[in-house]
Amino acid sequence: MAKAKVLKSTVTIRDSYELNNSSGDVLLDIKIGSEGQSSLTEVVLTDPKTGETRIIVTDITGSFNEPVACGTNENLPKKVLKISTLVQDISPDTDDTFEDIRITGGKEEFHQRMEKTVSSQGESVFYTATIRFFKVQS
Amino acid sequence: MKVQLLCLLLVLSGTTFAQEKKQIDTSITIDLLRAPSSPGAILAGISPSEIQKPSDVTSFMVSLQQSTNNFSQLPKSYALDVAPGLSFNSRNLTVDHYTSNSFKDNFVQSFTISAAFRNLDAGEEDSLTSPKTRLGLGFKFSILRGKLNNASYSLLKSLGAQQVKVLHGLIGDLDTLTNHDAVLQEAAARMAELEDSGRKNSVEYATWQKIAVDREDELKSKALESNKDELDRLTEMGRNLKIEKVGAKIDVAGGLVVDFLERTFNNSYVTKGGLWVTGGWETNSGWSFLGIGRYLFNPDKILADENGLIRAANVSTFDIGGRLIFSSPASRFSLSSEAIYRSILNNKEVDPSWRLTLNADYDIGNNRKLTFAFGRDFDGTVSKSGNIIAALNFLVGFGGNKKAGTVK
């Protein structure tokens, strides 16, 4: 398991994920924190060519119980994964929030973590990650 | 409630009180019986401020590095508390797991290992003739932690609904903004070209990536601004959220200390130990009960031996306490009672003893209260105070037309 690239005071990711030549599933796993915070997540997959959008998960509270499949290495090229999460600080113990995103099943593991500390109790952080799937064209 | 109060008065008024009025010693409460926050370290004699509490593997390694002078020497003492379920399984972090009362969630979130060691030189503390190493190990976990009370459940439900509203509002507005933004569209297109041609690691890619992130942050600010009212409402709800649990709660904690004489592994013996069981029950109607049972082996201070009579080694003690409270804004009646039983299991020099205190009052309006206090101290002395006996004539009013009768 690769160590997460930590993006402090960052709430936006724009990146990509390289697929492999297998037909295996590409899996997405999300963990939310810090301890005692409340969150809601929606993940959609869009095809920029057709404009078609497929909901992977919606209104998920907290961390994923297990990784979810976004599609296969065969059918994901050039599609875009959009992750939108609202993390609200309701913990009396900390003002820290984070979203840890891990994608596996392709060429390498993608593991990034966005973090932000809110200034007062009750505030929310709107995290977004836009990740394009691709294969290098020979 | 009137019937309950009447019964209480009748029972108490029938008790024969000692004429001597002695103040109950309230310095000993059942809070003294509570399990220490870090059983292993506290039993080993390490102060709470010295205990490391790493939240993940990285902070544990940093703590270890600092304590060992960059891994070059063993520290004089070291203590840490680790909660494996939270440190190594961060799926359990968010509030939806905290509101669960399943045994699995309770155990995973609360299980804590407490470990400590100290190197004692000859002449230091009880290490009189030879140096020794002291090792303390402990644990604590919750079996039951109660379920959300009605008010907390409603608040969390409203909060969740508002989060859905805000998140979908933000997603919709951000989608509209990003789909029609030329800067973002161009950055995304250039990034895609570079990805497909195998140049993701180029400087050019990093430049376009930064442009895309910065632009999306700008658009995100606009989306947040257009959802400001709903966000402010959500913030206010989060700020006022107070999560309270009712129902049964059971916690278990334990620990022991092993001394290694001459710092050798095969010359060791258990010098201290303890086991704590804490149980409680809270209801939505205002009743709460707390009970604590404690077994200690060679405690620093024996609760039942206030005068320090016992000199023998290997002393085992058993103490138990309970606290009953009724307090509700909807009721005029309130009650608090506390009882403690203390004993030494393997020594006849000091007899077991117990203490009971009870305070009750009833608001009769116009800033007037009927109050009653009863106490029995460890030495058997009974005391009472309050205006309840003098005000027994009020009973006639509580019972309606039926007279309560004469109370002697």
Side-chain angles (χ1 to χ4, degrees):
Chain A
M1 185 187 298
K3 196 176 171 185
K5 178 183 175 186
V6 179
L7 306 164
K8 287 193 181 295
S9 297
T10 297
V11 295
T12 305
I13 288 174
R14 282 258 164 183
D15 213 321
S16 56
Y17 184 69
E18 188 169 358
L19 302 163
N20 62 29
N21 292 321
S22 76
S23 57
D25 281 340
V26 172
L27 300 173
L28 168 70
D29 194 12
I30 293 177
K31 290 180 184 174
I32 305 292
S34 288
E35 203 171 319
Q37 308 296 31
S38 178
S39 72
L40 198 67
T41 298
E42 179 175 285
V43 181
V44 297
L45 187 72
T46 62
D47 187 340
K49 199 172 174 183
T50 62
E52 187 187 333
T53 296
R54 178 166 71 90
I55 294 173
I56 306 287
V57 295
T58 188
D59 298 345
I60 295 290
T61 56
S63 304
F64 286 8
N65 289 325
E66 56 187 17
V68 296
C70 302
T72 64
N73 280 276
E74 283 172 327
N75 64 22
L76 281 176
K78 300 190 178 180
K79 289 180 181 166
V80 176
L81 192 70
K82 289 186 177 177
I83 303 166
S84 307
T85 301
L86 192 73
V87 184
Q88 187 175 16
D89 170 29
I90 62 166
S91 166
D93 303 321
T94 179
D95 292 329
D96 297 341
T97 71
F98 71 77
E99 179 171 26
D100 188 290
I101 299 169
R102 178 177 289 139
I103 303 173
T104 53
K107 195 168 182 185
E108 290 176 350
E109 185 185 64
F110 175 99
H111 192 185
Q112 294 196 10
R113 176 176 166 131
M114 296 178 277
E115 296 180 347
K116 191 177 180 190
T117 302
V118 300
S119 53
S120 68
Q121 181 77 2
E123 274 185 33
S124 303
V125 180
F126 181 36
Y127 289 107
T128 56
T130 307
I131 295 152
R132 179 178 178 269
F133 295 108
F134 73 100
K135 279 183 181 176
V136 175
Q137 293 168 353
S138 49
Chain B
M1 191 50 69
K2 289 175 184 174
V3 175
Q4 288 172 333
L5 180 66
L6 180 62
C7 293
L8 179 72
L9 289 170
L10 290 172
V11 169
L12 293 175
S13 60
T15 308
T16 305
F17 298 113
Q19 294 302 310
E20 180 191 356
K21 288 185 180 178
K22 185 190 169 191
Q23 200 71 22
I24 296 282
D25 176 12
T26 53
S27 62
I28 300 174
T29 71
I30 71 163
D31 290 333
L32 284 175
L33 309 183
R34 283 185 187 276
S37 54
S38 309
I42 300 295
L43 283 173
I46 291 183
S47 71
S49 61
E50 293 178 60
I51 300 166
Q52 307 288 324
K53 295 182 179 177
S55 57
D56 52 41
V57 178
T58 307
S59 54
F60 169 64
M61 292 308 290
V62 169
S63 150
L64 206 57
Q65 189 177 11
Q66 288 171 344
S67 301
T68 56
N69 195 14
N70 209 12
F71 303 112
S72 62
Q73 65 181 54
L74 273 176
K76 171 88 174 164
S77 66
Y78 185 75
L80 87 164
D81 280 3
V82 181
L86 296 180
S87 302
F88 306 114
N89 184 5
S90 52
R91 281 185 206 285
N92 299 296
L93 288 173
T94 49
V95 72
D96 47 316
H97 284 273
Y98 273 85
T99 54
S100 155
N101 194 30
S102 72
F103 173 74
K104 185 187 165 194
D105 277 333
N106 287 340
F107 184 82
V108 167
Q109 289 167 30
S110 62
F111 181 61
T112 305
I113 298 167
S114 166
F117 85 88
R118 298 173 69 197
N119 278 322
L120 297 172
D121 297 325
E124 193 178 358
E125 291 188 15
D126 55 351
S127 185
L128 297 175
T129 53
S130 58
K132 63 184 176 187
T133 294
R134 175 164 291 170
L135 179 68
L137 288 171
F139 65 89
K140 60 177 184 177
F141 61 87
S142 296
I143 297 172
L144 291 172
R145 294 194 304 180
K147 59 180 184 179
L148 288 179
N149 66 13
N150 295 342
S152 300
Y153 180 78
S154 299
L155 284 171
L156 268 181
K157 206 173 170 185
S158 305
L159 188 85
Q162 184 65 11
Q163 285 176 344
V164 170
K165 197 172 181 180
V166 169
L167 180 64
H168 288 283
L170 289 170
I171 290 172
D173 287 352
L174 187 62
D175 273 351
T176 305
L177 290 165
T178 55
N179 289 342
H180 299 93
D181 187 78
V183 175
L184 202 54
Q185 294 300 318
E186 187 187 358
R190 298 303 296 270
M191 284 170 69
E193 280 174 28
L194 294 164
E195 287 156 4
D196 293 343
S197 59
R199 289 183 289 161
K200 191 187 165 183
N201 294 324
S202 65
V203 176
E204 191 184 356
Y205 185 87
T207 305
W208 282 112
Q209 191 176 29
K210 185 173 185 319
I211 290 169
V213 169
D214 290 348
R215 185 60 182 162
E216 186 168 330
D217 280 342
E218 285 173 30
L219 299 176
K220 206 183 269 186
S221 298
K222 288 183 182 174
L224 289 165
E225 187 58 36
S226 60
N227 287 272
K228 188 176 180 305
D229 290 345
E230 294 298 341
L231 262 169
D232 286 347
R233 191 158 166 248
L234 180 64
T235 304
E236 194 60 28
M237 291 169 79
R239 191 174 290 136
N240 296 328
L241 183 70
K242 194 175 174 188
I243 295 177
E244 292 176 333
K245 290 187 167 186
V246 294
K249 299 172 185 178
I250 300 175
D251 299 322
V252 180
L256 57 83
V257 173
V258 182
D259 281 0
F260 296 88
L261 294 179
E262 302 288 349
R263 294 175 183 152
T264 53
F265 189 75
N266 54 3
N267 191 4
S268 62
Y269 59 98
V270 175
T271 53
K272 282 182 189 174
L275 182 68
W276 294 260
V277 178
T278 306
W281 184 276
E282 284 181 46
T283 69
N284 279 312
S285 57
W287 286 98
S288 70
F289 170 74
L290 173 69
I292 304 175
R294 177 179 81 169
Y295 167 82
L296 293 178
F297 176 65
N298 283 344
D300 289 332
K301 186 173 184 335
I302 300 172
L303 188 63
D305 182 25
E306 284 175 292
N307 300 320
L309 299 173
I310 296 178
R311 294 277 174 263
N314 297 336
V315 172
S316 294
T317 68
F318 178 69
D319 308 305
I320 189 165
R323 179 187 288 155
L324 179 69
I325 294 173
F326 174 75
S327 176
S328 168
S331 172
R332 289 165 176 258
F333 177 66
S334 68
L335 176 142
S336 71
S337 179
E338 187 169 300
I340 295 176
Y341 171 84
R342 58 189 193 182
S343 66
I344 300 169
L345 297 178
N346 55 351
N347 193 295
K348 304 288 183 194
E349 288 179 56
V350 177
D351 290 330
S353 54
W354 60 276
R355 200 194 71 188
L356 172 71
T357 59
L358 187 148
N359 291 283
D361 63 62
Y362 188 88
D363 188 347
I364 56 175
N366 298 325
N367 290 326
R368 284 181 295 175
K369 280 186 177 180
L370 291 179
T371 64
F372 180 77
F374 170 81
R376 181 202 183 275
D377 211 345
F378 289 113
D379 61 6
T381 308
V382 171
S383 64
K384 62 181 174 61
S385 63
N387 59 13
I388 196 78
I389 302 300
L392 278 177
N393 286 336
F394 278 102
L395 281 172
V396 178
F398 296 150
N401 295 326
K402 187 179 177 183
K403 289 191 176 181
T406 306
V407 180
K408 292 179 182 177

